[in-house]
Amino acid sequence: MIICTSKMEYPLRTQCQRVHKQVMVNGENERVSLLFMKALVSRGSVDAVSQQMASHPQYLESFLRTQHYILHMDGPLPLPYRHYIAIMAAARHHCNYLVYLHSAQFLRVGGDPVWLQGLEAAPPRLRLLDHINKVLAHQPWLTACSHIQALLKAGEQCWSLAELVQAVVILAHCHSLCSFVFGCDTDSDHASLSKSPNGTPPTFCPFDAANGNTNVPQTLATLSEHITRRRSLDSSCDMVCLKERIQKSQEEREKREERLLQTQALQQTDMEEEEDMICFADPTRFITDPDLCYQEFARREEDHFQVFRVQDYSWEDHGFSLVNRLYSDIGHLLDDRFRSVTTLPSMHSPDLKRAIWNYIHCVLGIRYDDYDYGEVNQLLEQDLKLYIKAVACFPDATKTPVCPLSLAPLKPSERIHVNLLIMEARLQAELLYALRAITQYMIA
């Protein structure tokens, strides 16, 4: 009887496990749908980066919360400045996708279209960020107290400390996001995308459901149908009002049509000029010294750069408190991102995740005295190390050395997880260098 009971219990236990797993999957799908719906309400579309991260909804939520805060919520910098700084950062890595995305958002928040002609057309204060932008993007160990001083004491064009901290956070965020975009091959898909009517990158919009896009979650499809029906009703009301006005006065109708034609002609011209401005905004317009790129930190013996030791300046003990004091609440949001990415459920062991994180910091000149770097070579295969270094240090199709970008042994979600680790490790590295320089300026 005992053996028979065990045989009966085993299928039941397996079935319960399957049900539990299905419940978890459904819960994660609902979480992703909710995040996408929030994005639709706030921006009118779900960008390609968010779609890539959707396989890790816990992290996606943390990422979107941080990104929304630094680009749209209260802060010392005007909204057009924030998106223009993002354009400058993305341009360092020739990331067409992010340059286009933030160009559209820059115009949407009232930015001057003339600025999109290039860096020389931007205000002098923004142009002053060019040097620290290229240093943080390619050789962050060069960030020095003198760079901070030059920005804070630039006469009429000087930056406040709070403004500079927000600018640095945006630069580091976008530099590291370029790595994710490059690692997931999002930028190569950008050229094949057609433009949407509202000027946003045509990734996923609420009207895809009405156009037969079967990949739209059902909750979003319902939202889309509701919007479409509402617009149809509104259009019907407009037609009734228009007919009533036509019946009142034929002369008034003719004058109105004439004015409408003139307005449409002007709007069409403005729209075409705006689209051309965005579509053909060459990233090289927003950078100087285009040949500057990453160089091997470990081989630059002639410069004798000191290794950045985490025991002397760490995110937990120094960076977090400083950035949170100068830019309220951002420290908590960034810290949540760092914690989320390292605790994501994955087939990778904690030791492997740690090896990836520490390897990225190592190639950027940051060392942990309590870590055995022999584990990096033991846990990371050569192809994986080449991939990690390329994505972290050369996220630019014009400069990247040959490397196995396909990472065939990994599932798509696992490859994205590796890219998330690369992005967050690079983000923290840039912030550490910048915040240490700010600390040195403050105590000098």
Side-chain angles (χ1 to χ4, degrees):
M1 290 295 295
I2 295 177
I3 297 177
C4 182
T5 303
S6 299
K7 289 182 179 180
M8 292 176 63
E9 287 179 351
Y10 180 76
L12 180 61
R13 185 164 58 249
T14 302
Q15 184 176 2
C16 289
Q17 290 173 347
R18 290 176 179 174
V19 171
H20 177 68
K21 184 177 181 180
Q22 185 62 42
V23 169
M24 292 181 64
V25 170
N26 292 339
E28 293 296 303
N29 289 339
E30 291 179 1
R31 191 173 187 177
V32 172
S33 296
L34 179 60
L35 292 173
F36 280 5
M37 288 183 70
K38 289 181 178 179
L40 287 174
V41 171
S42 63
R43 299 193 301 271
S45 65
V46 178
D47 62 273
V49 169
S50 297
Q51 294 182 60
Q52 292 278 8
M53 295 180 182
S55 56
H56 298 288
Q58 177 186 347
Y59 172 82
L60 174 61
E61 185 175 2
S62 178
F63 172 85
L64 291 177
R65 189 185 304 117
T66 306
Q67 181 170 256
H68 181 74
Y69 185 81
I70 64 177
L71 292 176
H72 304 287
M73 298 298 288
D74 292 341
L77 291 177
L79 296 183
Y81 267 52
R82 302 182 197 187
H83 290 292
Y84 199 85
I85 292 170
I87 293 170
M88 293 172 61
R92 282 309 318 178
H93 294 305
H94 295 84
C95 185
N96 295 298
Y97 173 78
L98 290 180
V99 169
Y100 175 77
L101 174 70
H102 288 287
S103 295
Q105 294 184 358
F106 169 79
L107 294 174
R108 193 176 301 117
V109 297
D112 187 346
V114 174
W115 296 8
L116 296 182
Q117 293 177 4
L119 191 60
E120 292 301 318
R125 294 185 74 227
L126 286 172
R127 295 202 301 269
L128 286 174
L129 287 176
D130 178 61
H131 186 73
I132 197 170
N133 177 31
K134 62 187 178 185
V135 168
L136 284 174
H138 304 294
Q139 300 176 28
W141 54 85
L142 293 178
T143 309
C145 175
S146 59
H147 300 145
I148 306 302
Q149 183 176 1
L151 290 165
L152 298 178
K153 295 184 176 181
E156 295 181 357
Q157 307 301 333
C158 68
W159 289 69
S160 71
L161 201 53
E163 289 174 331
L164 179 57
V165 168
Q166 185 178 16
V168 163
V169 170
I170 294 173
L171 289 173
H173 168 79
C174 291
H175 291 156
S176 58
L177 187 55
C178 287
S179 289
F180 181 83
V181 169
F182 177 77
C184 293
D185 212 19
T186 303
D187 205 33
S188 66
D189 298 333
H190 172 70
S192 63
L193 296 175
S194 59
K195 299 173 66 178
S196 62
N198 63 354
T200 58
T203 49
F204 174 83
C205 74
F207 308 112
D208 283 347
N211 295 331
N213 186 347
T214 57
N215 294 324
V216 182
Q218 187 170 358
T219 52
L220 300 184
T222 303
L223 175 64
S224 173
E225 292 171 5
H226 171 71
I227 295 174
T228 304
R229 287 197 300 269
R230 181 174 178 178
R231 289 195 171 188
S232 298
L233 291 173
D234 291 342
S235 299
S236 299
C237 293
D238 291 341
M239 289 299 296
V240 172
C241 294
L242 182 59
K243 289 179 180 179
E244 290 177 354
R245 291 179 182 177
I246 291 174
Q247 292 173 358
K248 290 180 180 179
S249 174
Q250 180 70 16
E251 183 179 353
E252 182 182 350
R253 181 186 66 81
E254 293 175 354
K255 291 181 179 180
R256 186 168 59 250
E257 286 182 350
E258 182 178 356
R259 289 196 300 269
L260 180 60
L261 288 174
Q262 293 174 350
T263 302
Q264 287 178 340
L266 291 174
Q267 289 178 342
Q268 181 65 27
T269 302
D270 291 342
M271 183 180 297
E272 290 176 354
E273 291 178 353
E274 180 178 306
E275 290 180 351
D276 290 342
M277 183 81 70
I278 298 173
C279 189
F280 298 106
D282 184 355
T284 58
R285 296 180 184 180
F286 304 100
I287 63 174
T288 62
D289 197 5
D291 294 330
L292 181 68
C293 62
Y294 172 83
Q295 296 185 23
E296 293 285 350
F297 177 86
R299 296 179 183 176
R300 296 182 59 83
E301 299 177 357
E302 68 278 7
D303 295 316
H304 301 288
F305 288 110
Q306 290 187 350
V307 171
F308 188 119
R309 299 196 177 279
V310 174
Q311 281 67 23
D312 298 330
Y313 196 96
S314 68
W315 167 256
E316 294 80 6
D317 297 332
H318 306 90
F320 170 82
S321 58
L322 177 64
V323 75
N324 220 40
R325 176 156 53 94
L326 296 175
Y327 185 13
S328 180
D329 293 329
I330 191 61
H332 293 291
L333 293 171
L334 291 169
D335 196 59
D336 185 59
R337 276 180 62 173
F338 298 146
R339 294 178 186 276
S340 294
V341 77
T342 55
T343 57
L344 285 178
S346 168
M347 63 181 289
H348 301 143
S349 67
D351 289 342
L352 181 59
K353 294 179 184 179
R354 187 65 178 171
I356 293 173
W357 187 280
N358 287 358
Y359 176 63
I360 297 165
H361 278 194
C362 180
V363 298
L364 295 176
I366 299 176
R367 303 276 291 189
Y368 296 79
D369 289 343
D370 58 352
Y371 182 73
D372 179 9
Y373 284 88
E375 290 188 6
V376 171
N377 292 329
Q378 294 175 4
L379 297 173
L380 304 182
E381 297 179 1
Q382 185 64 22
D383 285 350
L384 182 56
K385 287 177 65 178
L386 288 173
Y387 174 85
I388 292 171
K389 190 171 184 179
V391 174
C393 304
F394 302 95
D396 183 341
T398 66
K399 298 177 181 177
T400 302
V402 177
C403 65
L405 289 178
S406 60
L407 271 186
L410 293 177
K411 298 179 181 178
S413 63
E414 292 300 327
R415 179 183 174 184
I416 291 173
H417 190 190
V418 170
N419 291 332
L420 291 177
L421 284 168
I422 295 171
M423 177 174 66
E424 293 301 324
R426 181 183 175 184
L427 171 62
Q428 189 180 97
E430 287 193 28
L431 288 175
L432 284 174
Y433 278 113
L435 294 173
R436 184 182 67 169
I438 292 174
T439 300
Q440 291 171 344
Y441 169 81
M442 294 175 66
I443 64 178

